[in-house]
Every structure is written in structure tokens, then in C-alpha cells.
Amino acid sequence: MKYKLKYKSALAKIYHSLLFYLCFAVIALLLFLVIDLLFLIVFSLFAVKYLPVTEQGIYDFARLVLVIETFISVLIALKLNKRYVKIGSQGVLIHNSNTEHFGLGQRNRLNVIVPFEHIVCCYIEIPFDCPDNYKYKKYNRFGANEIYFDYRRKVGVMKTKEPAISGGRYDEENILLELDNKRIIVIPIDECKEFLELLDRYMEQYKKLQWEKN
């Protein structure tokens, strides 16, 4: 079952969804443009020898292909532009579409899967000290981000709460997923109790399987 990640407002959802769409669509469109250009070159060489088409006809065909590719990129972006969390056999999938992996080292992934082996505990809480977005993490290695240090001074502990999505609803009860790397993922959903019960069942099955293996 998928649980929708909740934004703090409709405006925040529109803003972050539009930002994701623009970034993804531009990257996808650039890729399609390269494919279109290569196709145009190959098709032109083939058409000159074997097909009775004019140069204008080739350009018109290329424009048609570009329109189709643009439409496809929009459909793909709209499909991926969803925010949810799901529990499966591999772990907890956080479909945040922002490449944040919370120290799990999962490179080249748009979303993140939290394996059961990395989950220390899970509970429901109102995360008052959870940042609204990921700005507090930028440039912290170089000591150039006061937002990061203000946040760390405010928390005063090694375990820091990190938002599952930017602009999420973090002023109400949320799911807090504590990992073994001293990081806590704050997951803003409505069905907190249902999610917690389902995760407990999955964790019991995982521990049982690990015990049988050992």
C-alpha cells in the first residue's frame, strides 16, 4: 500500500512539483534532442539515397519526432512526480524524487529504499525541530552554512531529524524512522498508526527470517 507524503500547503506542493517537473523535463528533453539529432542524421543519409523526400520534408519529420518526444518527456515527468512511501519486501521505499539517500550510500537513484537491517526503530511524533527542506545540509563541510550550524546547535545531539521531502507537513504527527547511522527520517503522512503497524509486521518477518538463516 502506498501512503501519500503530505505537504504543508497546496502552494508548497505545486511549487515543488513544478520545480521537479522543470528539472526532469529539461534533462529528459536534452536526451531526446540528442537521440532526435542522431536519428535525423541517419534518416537523412538513408532518405537521400533511397526515398523521394525533400529537405523540407526531412525537417518537418524531425519536428514531428521532437513534438512526440516532448510529449513523452512530459508524461514520464508527471508519472515520476509523485511523493509517497511504501513498505515492501526490500524495505521502506521513500519515493521522494530528490536523490536524498540519508547516508545509505545508494548512488544513482532518484528515490531511496531503506533496508530493514538499517532500521533501529520507528515511532510517531510531532517533529518540532525538523528542518523544512535540505538547505541546512548545503556547504556544511566547508563551514559556510549558518542554517546548518544553527540547526545543529538547536538540536544539540548527534541524531538529526531529516525531512523526507522539502516543504512537507512537519507541524503535525509524522512517522519518524530512525536509522543505524544516527539519522532520523521524518515522513509526513496521515496514516501514521496504520503505517507503524504494517512496518512492525514486516520487521517481525524480517527478524524471523534472519534468525532462521543464522
Side-chain angles (χ1 to χ4, degrees):
M1 180 178 177
K2 296 179 180 178
Y3 302 92
K4 290 184 179 180
L5 297 175
K6 298 297 181 178
Y7 287 91
K8 60 182 179 182
S9 65
L11 185 61
K13 181 177 181 179
I14 293 172
Y15 170 76
H16 289 288
S17 297
L18 182 61
L19 187 63
F20 169 81
Y21 166 73
L22 291 176
C23 294
F24 179 85
V26 168
I27 295 173
L29 193 55
L30 286 175
L31 178 61
F32 286 142
L33 282 173
V34 173
I35 297 174
D36 191 31
L37 181 59
L38 293 174
F39 178 80
L40 178 60
I41 294 173
V42 174
F43 180 77
S44 299
L45 294 174
F46 176 80
V48 168
K49 292 184 178 181
Y50 303 104
L51 297 176
V53 294
T54 63
E55 183 177 343
Q56 185 61 42
I58 294 176
Y59 284 125
D60 291 341
F61 183 75
R63 291 192 188 97
L64 176 62
V65 173
L66 181 59
V67 170
I68 295 173
E69 290 172 345
T70 303
F71 180 71
I72 293 174
S73 70
V74 171
L75 289 180
I76 295 174
L78 290 176
K79 183 178 180 180
L80 293 177
N81 195 10
K82 296 178 180 179
R83 309 290 180 269
Y84 62 86
V85 59
K86 181 180 179 180
I87 306 174
S89 58
Q90 293 182 311
V92 179
L93 167 64
I94 303 176
H95 199 280
N96 49 9
S97 301
N98 58 14
T99 70
E100 284 292 336
H101 298 148
F102 309 101
L104 294 173
Q106 299 177 8
R107 306 301 178 187
N108 303 318
R109 288 185 60 92
L110 192 61
N111 304 297
V112 59
I113 296 178
V114 183
F116 295 120
E117 61 189 64
H118 290 294
I119 299 176
V120 175
C121 63
C122 182
Y123 52 93
I124 301 172
E125 185 182 283
I126 301 177
F128 294 106
D129 56 347
C130 178
D132 181 66
N133 52 49
Y134 300 100
K135 288 183 179 180
Y136 73 97
K137 296 177 64 177
K138 293 182 179 178
Y139 311 116
N140 60 70
R141 294 181 181 178
F142 305 99
N145 188 4
E146 285 300 320
I147 299 176
Y148 171 78
F149 286 107
D150 287 344
Y151 171 65
R152 291 303 296 267
R153 281 192 291 266
K154 178 182 176 182
V155 175
V157 294
M158 290 299 295
K159 296 179 180 179
T160 55
K161 298 183 178 70
E162 302 187 33
I165 55 172
S166 291
R169 184 209 60 200
Y170 301 117
D171 57 350
E172 298 181 22
E173 285 190 343
N174 292 294
I175 286 293
L176 274 71
L177 198 63
E178 185 173 335
L179 310 183
D180 57 2
N181 58 5
K182 297 183 179 180
R183 299 169 84 160
I184 301 173
I185 308 174
V186 181
I187 305 174
I189 58 175
D190 288 334
E191 306 86 352
C192 291
K193 293 182 179 179
E194 182 181 339
F195 179 91
L196 190 58
E197 291 175 357
L198 182 60
L199 179 62
D200 286 341
R201 291 199 295 268
Y202 269 90
M203 289 296 293
E204 288 178 4
Q205 294 177 4
Y206 169 75
K207 291 177 181 178
K208 183 178 180 181
L209 289 173
Q210 291 300 113
W211 183 81
E212 290 177 351
K213 287 181 181 179
N214 297 330

